[in-house]
Amino acid sequence: MATKTLDRLWRLLLFVSKLCCLTLLLSSYTTPCMCRVGLVAQSNSLEERASKALELAQSGNLESAEDELRKVVALEPDNGEFLQELGTVLAMEKKLEESTSFFERALRIEPGALVARRYLAANLWQLHRFAEARQNLQILLKAKPGDPQTLLLLGMVSENTADYSTAVKTLSSVPALVRAQPESIAALARSYYHIGDADKARLWLKELLNHPAGTRAVLLGAQIADEMQDYRTAEMLLASLPTDLSDQATVKYQLALVKFHASQFAESEKLVQQLLDAGHQSGEIYRLLGRCREEQHHHQDAVRAFQEAIKLEPTNVTSYLDLGKILLTERRLVPALELTRRTANAFPESSRVFVLKGSVELAAALFTDAVDSFSRALQLDASGADASIGLARAQFGSGMIQQAEGTLERAIANFPNKAPFELELAQLLLKQAETGDEGAGARAEQLLKSAVVHDDTLAEAHYQLGELELVRGQAQRALIHLEKAAKLNPTSAKTHFALSRAFRRLGRNEEAAKQAALYDKLKDQETSRASAAPSTN
Amino acid sequence: MPQQPRPPIRNDSIYRRILPLILLPLAAFLSFISLNCLQPTQAQSSSPSKEIFTDISEEAGVTWRHFSGESQDRFLIETMGGGVAFLDFDGDGLEDLFFVNGGETPHGKSALPVRNALYRNLGNGRFQDVAAKAGVDRFSFYGMGVAAGDFDNDGFPDLYVTGFPASALFHNNGDGTFTNVTDRAGVKNAGRWAASAAWFDFDRDGYLDLVVTNYVQFSFSDVKKCELDGKPSYCVQKAYAGIPLALYHNNGDGTFTDVSERSGLAKLIGRALGVVAVDTNDDGWTDLFVARDASPNLLLINQKDGTFRDVAMDSEVAYNSDGVAKAGMGIDAGDVNGDGKPDFVVTNFNDEYHSLFVSSPAGLFDDKSVSSRLAEYTKPFVGWGVHFIDYDNDGNLDLVIANGHINQAVEATRIDVKYKEPPLLLRNDGKGRFHNMRDFAGAGFRAGQSARGLAVGDFNNDGGIDVVFTRLNEKPVLLRNNEGTNHPWIGLELQGTKSNRDAIGSRVTVDIGTRKLVRWITGGASYLSSRDKRVLVGLGDVPDSTEVAVEICWPSGTTQRLSHLKRNQYRTVVEPNADELPRENRK
């Protein structure tokens, strides 16, 4: 019986192993393999029940297979084989957490069960528990160096954790396995892009052109190229697909997306319009249409597109956010307020919605409402940098000065990227300094200097340092900061205004006049861009 | 009989010798204490036991009420208030008051006729409204501001009243009445919304010319809909397009010529609200500083050929430090730091703080709003009328400011900004800083107001500059100065002969030995209002023995020197002919 069972199990194992390789490399929805890693017969009846369960699993009746194996495990809870089998069936049912726990129990009894460990690693990878997955894979490689399956999975995990050099090293060592699945090719290509070897990335992406996975593979490759801003390769891949494909809409949409990312907004819009004209209507398509129009400053048309997206997918918050942002940019604050209030009611647990609502309220000088909105956003997601800054601005605007300072001090302490918060707090303190708080002025300067140390590309921080020097009468020192600010942000009207003041004070009147003229030109542009919508103080 | 015990014998001689030794130091000590306790300290100077200003509106009989035509349409004009003038219309030596009323709007009607008020100063602290008798109680347009000036040099101040959609010139007939001479004069400014106006002699021909700040394109049939937090609200000024200034040249015969184009003022389009005429660069020709609302301020330098050049940008008074135009409403000029050059104060919107531009040697102006503490005191306020005054006559120019928000709904969105805001009295400590005298200024400075126009004048001729401000839809407030006698002062009423009769454009330098105090007779200033034209100069702690000398630079170019001036009184000074001057004084 043992031989028969073993034979059955090994055949099943072979079958399942093949299945395993395939499914392992799919995205998070990969179904792990069913396996039988050994045979421990406690009793004939348990063995028979286990075999029956495996047959049920093979026939696709996973629920019954699970039931049977649970009963078997309940009767013999320390049987590693049975635990592994149950783990396998649960994994096939996508009950990954529970499957993982059974594999872990099995490995505690039989730590040397390599296949079980590999499947555990696969589970952990799918659960995004990458560090644990890596740990188990390294144990496997120690036990069986050069094991291709392990190397493949390790490569996938490394790519997921942005360890691109390890990903390249491990995946490129198992080319045959990588070639088997478009997902592994995509992972290797992405890793090559990240380490700066675009040529090798493109070579691997070209493998997708004739891949057995067909259109799916090509689309995935195009997606990777697009993501890595290799738009020509993305377009090449998409263009390789036959025009009589049944899923032409998806291809066209992908191409439109690539064109959009490549800033070819008019062309992208044309493709999207073709999709709509052919009757392909979805929220996603209308959103892309809206973004194309927004980028071309056809704001009214963009609004209409986003409104259509909302009509088609009223439960998709993205469309509301996109529409709200465009209304805010356009300073159409009344409809923006109405929309964000409605959206907040519909999506009360969305931090992004409350950030947008707060931003609109801030723009409309409804500071106390903005305080509430940003506070709610932070309650929902304490890691929101935008929400922290928005809250501080709203608090300051409504006169809650100490609270505003506290919000920013906390953000400086908690966020790794401190520079934006240091700048924001500095600007708040500079306003406080206007009301006679001399200590605030000194601290503001300290923060500005710290901000440029943390991030030298903060044009505003350089501008403010320049202004402080101008106030002190140190025009030459002001010039250093202001010229840096102008280099970082050449379209800032106020920077050129400040430069004209600095030059004038140094008696360099020609340069002063030049900067003043630049200021006038940029100011006119700013004014004509600004909405004429009447609002109140 | 036994002897009665005798009282101890006082050694009178000892007492006579010792007591003074004990008592004199004690007396000296006591007087030392009293001197130091009662003498105000520097910081506390003018922190009196009585209030600085007393609201005497009721007892003075000033009971007129402003009417804005407030309505559901929420026209911007309903928020702007009205102006006030101090002027001695009847030549009796006492400053009278003229108040400009607003008017009705399509849906904002008044139960009673909307009238202006001309309060004649009766000399006993009381005033009487004689507007109807004088013929200035009503006109056909929505009233805004007033500029008092003797345009025909007959010795009686005339009135130019601004408004929408027209303005009007009332000639003072010298008999207590006025005649509307607008059409003949050609200064109707038809179709425009005019705000402040200023009389000044731009071409030095001896006749006062007229500059008018025009605000925005406006029509009662153009109802703009704005909201705040979903509720109907007044629209901000940026919802309205600006319009050009107007300049009228006085032809000397009762008529004026519109020289807006020729002078260059017509191309300066923006939202102008306040104007002051003063010689900024000391070349003897009067210039203009125009405060504009969400448009860059203008500093118009007289080119001496009938044209003006705007140097606001180069002088750094056009914008704030970020290159943004503030909401300039009121303006005044004065020498705030004692360097003999005019400095400027401009009132702005809340969060912008009011601006103090101090002239610097390089021909630029330094923005001293923050370092002077003006920013600190004014940040939460929307400012309108403003004047430099020396309320305590210590020789340093202080500030009085009228404040008030335009939007009642602001309190729903801000905890630090109110609709009604208190006026401000800021004392100049002579070291570049102002101090808020709120706790000592009087009740009129503690309560929130919807204040707008503000004028200053010495209505009781006691040397203490008094203040009057108008309020939206309420009675005005007349404040009597109780501190004017803290220090000695001199008062000069200048009468031009070759120069314009009002002597607008004159520069007066008062030499008190250790200091020279410079004052100008400006045209315009504040917001919608007109001040007492006399020059009142506080002499500070000048010893009695110090001779006070005065140099007057008349607009005609004549320089006159006076000495041995008596303190604490007004003196009329008539412009001499050149050959009447001592040789060394002739120019």
Side-chain angles (χ1 to χ4, degrees):
Chain A
M1 189 201 76
T3 314
K4 254 193 190 168
T5 311
L6 256 174
D7 182 53
R8 192 172 67 243
L9 282 172
W10 276 116
R11 274 208 301 273
L12 202 53
L13 177 62
L14 269 171
F15 164 75
V16 161
S17 291
K18 282 183 190 165
L19 194 61
C20 218
C21 285
L22 276 172
T23 55
L24 237 180
L25 302 172
L26 287 173
S27 64
S28 52
Y29 306 108
T30 300
T31 309
C33 316
M34 190 178 74
C35 64
R36 193 166 175 90
V37 293
L39 183 65
V40 176
Q42 296 289 323
S43 69
N44 283 345
S45 65
L46 282 180
E47 178 59 40
E48 276 164 14
R49 288 176 85 170
S51 295
K52 186 183 170 195
L54 288 174
E55 280 166 17
L56 287 167
Q58 256 188 305
S59 68
N61 191 348
L62 298 175
E63 208 178 311
S64 303
E66 180 193 334
D67 278 340
E68 275 303 304
L69 284 167
R70 282 194 188 277
K71 288 169 188 163
V72 166
V73 165
L75 290 167
E76 215 166 290
D78 292 329
N79 185 316
E81 302 288 333
F82 293 154
L83 289 166
Q84 288 167 51
E85 285 166 18
L86 178 53
T88 305
V89 169
L90 287 168
M92 290 175 76
E93 291 178 288
K94 293 262 184 248
K95 294 177 182 175
L96 295 176
E97 292 278 5
E98 209 184 347
S99 164
T100 300
S101 70
F102 279 105
F103 278 124
E104 284 170 342
R105 276 173 66 182
L107 283 165
R108 278 199 285 276
I109 297 164
E110 286 184 42
L114 297 180
V115 178
R117 193 173 291 281
R118 192 188 300 132
Y119 297 147
L120 168 63
N123 270 7
L124 291 167
W125 174 59
Q126 290 174 88
L127 287 168
H128 293 195
R129 287 160 61 176
F130 298 125
E132 292 164 87
R134 186 191 290 272
Q135 216 174 6
N136 280 281
L137 290 167
Q138 276 160 354
I139 294 171
L140 280 165
L141 279 173
K142 234 181 190 169
K144 206 173 170 191
D147 175 48
Q149 311 254 344
T150 306
L151 284 168
L152 176 70
L153 190 51
L154 180 60
M156 300 300 287
V157 168
S158 300
E159 196 267 332
N160 279 130
T161 54
D163 180 3
Y164 298 114
S165 5
T166 304
V168 162
K169 190 173 155 191
T170 48
L171 289 172
S172 59
S173 71
V174 288
L177 280 180
V178 166
R179 282 195 179 91
Q181 291 297 328
E183 287 76 13
S184 47
I185 294 175
L188 180 54
R190 192 191 280 117
S191 301
Y192 269 122
Y193 275 118
H194 273 290
I195 64 166
D197 196 342
D199 287 337
K200 282 229 176 78
R202 284 183 202 116
L203 272 172
W204 273 99
L205 286 178
K206 278 182 183 152
E207 297 259 354
L208 293 167
L209 284 170
N210 298 309
H211 198 276
T215 307
R216 182 176 70 80
V218 176
L219 286 173
L220 179 60
Q223 200 179 319
I224 297 302
D226 180 25
E227 180 194 318
M228 301 312 298
Q229 298 177 25
D230 185 357
Y231 303 121
R232 279 181 71 179
T233 302
E235 284 192 43
M236 179 273 295
L237 286 165
L238 290 169
S240 73
L241 291 168
T243 50
D244 57 353
L245 257 187
S246 57
D247 198 8
Q248 196 52 232
T250 305
V251 176
K252 194 166 266 187
Y253 177 78
Q254 286 282 16
L255 183 60
L257 212 50
V258 170
K259 295 273 186 195
F260 179 85
H261 292 146
S263 299
Q264 296 169 27
F265 305 118
E267 290 179 41
S268 178
E269 182 180 354
K270 205 166 149 188
L271 287 165
V272 172
Q273 196 58 60
Q274 284 171 8
L275 281 170
L276 291 169
D277 292 343
H280 300 287
Q281 311 242 323
S282 73
E284 195 176 37
I285 291 174
Y286 272 108
R287 275 195 297 281
L288 181 56
L289 179 65
R291 287 162 67 201
C292 288
R293 288 172 171 175
E294 189 183 343
E295 292 292 340
Q296 296 173 85
H297 306 295
H298 302 153
H299 298 294
Q300 290 285 67
D301 293 336
V303 165
R304 274 194 284 274
F306 288 126
Q307 284 170 338
E308 286 299 317
I310 289 172
K311 263 190 218 159
L312 284 169
E313 292 176 13
T315 58
N316 187 328
V317 72
T318 311
S319 304
Y320 295 90
L321 291 171
D322 286 343
L323 178 57
K325 280 175 200 156
I326 204 176
L327 290 172
L328 176 58
T329 309
E330 280 288 279
R331 301 284 301 179
R332 291 176 56 188
L333 299 179
V334 172
L337 278 169
E338 191 267 325
L339 173 76
T340 51
R341 281 172 186 163
R342 201 161 31 100
T343 309
N345 286 335
F347 302 95
E349 302 298 314
S350 167
S351 173
R352 289 186 299 157
V353 165
F354 283 95
V355 168
L356 180 63
K357 182 170 177 283
S359 303
V360 172
E361 285 159 346
L362 206 54
L366 301 173
F367 298 113
T368 46
D369 289 345
V371 167
D372 290 341
S373 295
F374 284 118
S375 299
R376 177 71 183 137
L378 280 170
Q379 262 173 13
L380 292 166
D381 179 5
S383 66
D386 287 347
S388 286
I389 288 190
L391 177 60
R393 287 180 185 167
Q395 285 167 328
F396 186 79
S398 67
M400 298 159 66
I401 313 297
Q402 281 184 334
Q403 290 91 327
E405 288 183 35
T407 298
L408 291 169
E409 295 280 12
R410 277 192 297 279
I412 290 172
N414 294 333
F415 282 87
N417 181 14
K418 299 177 186 306
F421 300 106
E422 287 173 322
L423 172 60
E424 192 70 30
L425 182 54
Q427 288 175 299
L428 184 158
L429 290 169
L430 285 172
K431 288 196 172 74
Q432 278 302 93
E434 289 169 0
T435 56
D437 185 345
E438 285 170 6
R443 172 111 175 89
E445 188 167 5
Q446 210 179 20
L447 283 162
L448 288 168
K449 286 178 174 165
S450 179
V452 299
V453 164
H454 290 130
D455 183 354
D456 196 37
T457 64
L458 284 178
E460 180 65 24
H462 285 289
Y463 167 78
Q464 292 293 353
L465 284 166
E467 279 287 305
L468 286 171
E469 295 293 359
L470 269 179
V471 166
R472 282 195 201 104
Q474 297 292 332
Q476 192 59 56
R477 293 222 291 254
L479 212 52
I480 297 170
H481 287 292
L482 293 172
E483 284 178 330
K484 174 98 187 193
K487 205 170 173 181
L488 289 166
N489 186 2
T491 59
S492 163
K494 69 180 183 183
T495 304
H496 293 287
F497 182 78
L499 276 166
S500 77
R501 289 173 58 211
F503 281 124
R504 198 174 294 116
R505 283 168 192 278
L506 291 167
R508 291 159 65 174
N509 293 328
E510 239 181 79
E511 286 156 292
K514 205 169 149 187
Q515 290 299 326
L518 257 172
Y519 158 77
D520 281 336
K521 181 177 161 194
L522 290 167
K523 194 80 187 151
D524 283 342
Q525 286 171 6
E526 274 176 20
T527 307
S528 58
R529 267 199 306 267
S531 168
S535 61
T536 59
N537 289 307
Chain B
M1 237 170 117
Q3 270 189 323
Q4 292 292 326
R6 286 186 182 176
I9 296 169
R10 288 193 303 171
N11 190 333
D12 285 340
S13 65
I14 294 175
Y15 274 76
R16 273 202 302 278
R17 283 200 296 274
I18 299 298
L19 267 176
L21 290 174
I22 297 170
L23 291 177
L24 194 58
L26 184 62
F29 177 65
L30 285 174
S31 68
F32 172 76
I33 289 174
S34 70
L35 270 172
N36 280 285
C37 285
L38 298 178
Q39 194 87 326
T41 61
Q42 181 115 35
Q44 250 193 311
S45 184
S46 297
S47 48
S49 51
K50 61 180 188 300
E51 56 190 7
I52 299 171
F53 284 94
T54 301
D55 182 350
I56 60 159
S57 316
E58 286 295 322
E59 74 188 67
V62 175
T63 56
W64 167 88
R65 184 178 283 269
H66 177 263
F67 181 78
S68 74
E70 187 180 342
S71 70
Q72 70 204 23
D73 295 320
R74 289 178 179 81
F75 293 110
L76 184 60
I77 203 167
E78 297 167 16
T79 69
M80 305 301 281
V84 55
F86 266 113
L87 74 160
D88 179 9
F89 85 93
D90 54 0
D92 65 356
L94 297 171
E95 292 289 304
D96 311 298
L97 285 164
F98 177 72
F99 294 98
V100 181
N101 217 329
E104 293 183 326
T105 58
H107 295 106
K109 302 299 181 190
S110 172
L112 301 168
V114 179
R115 297 182 186 281
N116 310 310
L118 176 62
Y119 279 98
R120 182 169 172 265
N121 187 340
L122 302 176
N124 53 3
R126 290 194 58 79
F127 291 75
Q128 182 186 27
D129 185 357
V130 296
K133 192 174 158 198
V136 289
D137 62 324
R138 301 188 74 175
F139 33 70
S140 60
F141 52 85
Y142 191 108
M144 285 286 294
V146 56
D150 185 4
F151 80 87
D152 59 350
N153 293 336
D154 65 357
F156 290 95
D158 310 297
L159 291 171
Y160 185 75
V161 182
T162 62
F164 171 79
S167 299
L169 178 61
F170 293 91
H171 175 255
N172 189 336
N173 302 321
D175 60 359
T177 67
F178 289 78
T179 301
N180 188 334
V181 297
T182 312
D183 289 336
R184 180 173 183 266
V187 291
K188 194 172 184 179
N189 201 40
R192 287 171 166 178
W193 177 356
S196 299
W199 292 105
F200 76 120
D201 185 5
F202 78 80
D203 58 350
R204 291 177 29 163
D205 65 356
Y207 286 97
L208 288 175
D209 310 300
L210 181 64
V211 64
V212 182
T213 62
N214 290 312
Y215 189 36
V216 296
Q217 285 179 20
F218 179 78
S219 165
F220 282 122
S221 56
D222 177 19
V223 180
K224 294 191 189 297
K225 298 284 185 201
C226 294
E227 287 183 359
L228 180 65
D229 198 22
K231 300 183 191 69
S233 184
Y234 287 99
C235 296
V236 294
Q237 76 286 73
K238 287 183 193 172
Y240 303 83
I243 50 180
L245 301 166
L247 180 64
Y248 297 98
H249 174 257
N250 189 338
N251 302 323
D253 60 359
T255 68
F256 290 76
T257 302
D258 186 342
V259 294
S260 311
E261 288 280 351
R262 197 184 337 144
S263 64
L265 264 60
K267 65 177 191 281
L268 299 167
I269 296 173
R271 289 175 281 263
L273 279 177
V275 60
V276 65
V278 68
D279 181 7
T280 308
N281 54 359
D282 200 27
D283 65 355
W285 294 75
T286 310
D287 312 301
L288 295 170
F289 192 128
V290 182
R292 301 205 296 182
D293 190 3
S295 302
N297 296 325
L298 302 171
L299 180 53
L300 302 173
I301 300 300
N302 193 330
Q303 301 299 290
K304 309 173 192 173
D305 60 358
T307 68
F308 291 81
R309 187 169 76 93
D310 179 25
V311 300
M313 178 76 163
D314 290 338
S315 304
E316 300 192 5
V317 297
Y319 300 100
N320 70 4
S321 59
D322 287 337
V324 175
K326 289 188 180 181
M329 266 90 83
I331 179 159
D332 199 11
D335 181 12
V336 78
N337 59 349
D339 67 350
K341 294 182 188 164
D343 312 303
F344 297 95
V345 62
V346 180
T347 53
N348 297 305
F349 218 82
N350 62 270
D351 300 331
E352 294 180 340
Y353 56 76
H354 307 342
S355 301
L356 179 67
F357 298 113
V358 175
S359 66
S360 74
L364 302 174
F365 285 82
D366 293 324
D367 186 339
K368 295 287 189 187
S369 315
V370 175
S371 61
S372 68
R373 300 182 77 180
L374 181 64
E376 177 185 338
Y377 298 130
T378 60
K379 203 158 180 197
F381 299 141
V382 177
W384 303 87
V386 59
H387 266 302
F388 284 114
I389 61 168
D390 184 0
Y391 78 85
D392 56 357
N393 286 331
D394 66 353
N396 298 316
L397 286 178
D398 314 301
L399 273 171
V400 62
I401 307 171
N403 300 305
H405 209 279
I406 65 164
N407 217 330
Q408 287 178 335
V410 69
E411 294 187 19
T413 63
R414 300 282 298 263
I415 61 174
D416 57 334
V417 175
K418 303 295 177 197
Y419 175 63
K420 291 199 171 188
E421 301 167 354
L424 287 168
L425 178 66
L426 305 179
R427 185 180 158 269
N428 182 347
D429 66 6
K431 294 175 186 163
R433 303 194 98 180
F434 290 100
H435 300 270
N436 192 345
M437 301 305 291
R438 183 179 186 276
D439 292 338
F440 311 104
F445 287 89
R446 283 195 285 278
Q449 314 279 7
S450 294
R452 298 290 187 268
L454 181 145
V456 297
D458 184 4
F459 77 82
N460 53 0
N461 293 336
D462 66 350
I465 194 87
D466 309 300
V467 175
V468 63
F469 60 83
T470 63
R471 299 187 295 179
L472 201 64
N473 292 315
E474 293 185 77
K475 299 178 196 174
V477 174
L478 177 60
L479 300 168
R480 183 192 66 218
N481 185 342
N482 305 314
E483 291 282 300
T485 51
N486 276 9
H487 296 98
W489 53 277
I490 59 164
L492 302 170
E493 182 174 359
L494 302 189
Q495 267 181 37
T497 52
K498 190 173 171 203
S499 305
N500 66 86
R501 175 72 187 244
D502 283 346
I504 292 174
S506 301
R507 191 183 79 189
V508 175
T509 306
V510 178
D511 187 343
I512 54 172
T514 51
R515 290 170 77 180
K516 283 189 180 176
L517 305 169
V518 180
R519 303 287 183 263
W520 293 266
I521 299 182
T522 59
S526 191
Y527 169 72
L528 304 184
S529 302
S530 190
R531 63 171 295 162
D532 179 349
K533 300 269 182 309
R534 296 175 295 178
V535 180
L536 176 59
V537 184
L539 304 177
D541 292 322
V542 64
D544 289 342
S545 56
T546 302
E547 186 195 301
V548 178
V550 167
E551 179 187 87
I552 302 171
C553 296
W554 294 88
S556 62
T558 304
T559 300
Q560 180 182 10
R561 292 187 181 88
L562 305 166
S563 57
H564 300 102
L565 292 175
K566 281 203 179 131
R567 300 165 189 214
N568 304 326
Q569 56 181 253
Y570 283 98
R571 172 183 172 150
T572 301
V573 181
V574 179
E575 181 182 12
N577 291 323
D579 51 8
E580 290 171 358
L581 292 168
R583 194 171 293 279
E584 64 273 18
N585 285 358
R586 293 181 200 172
K587 269 195 180 173

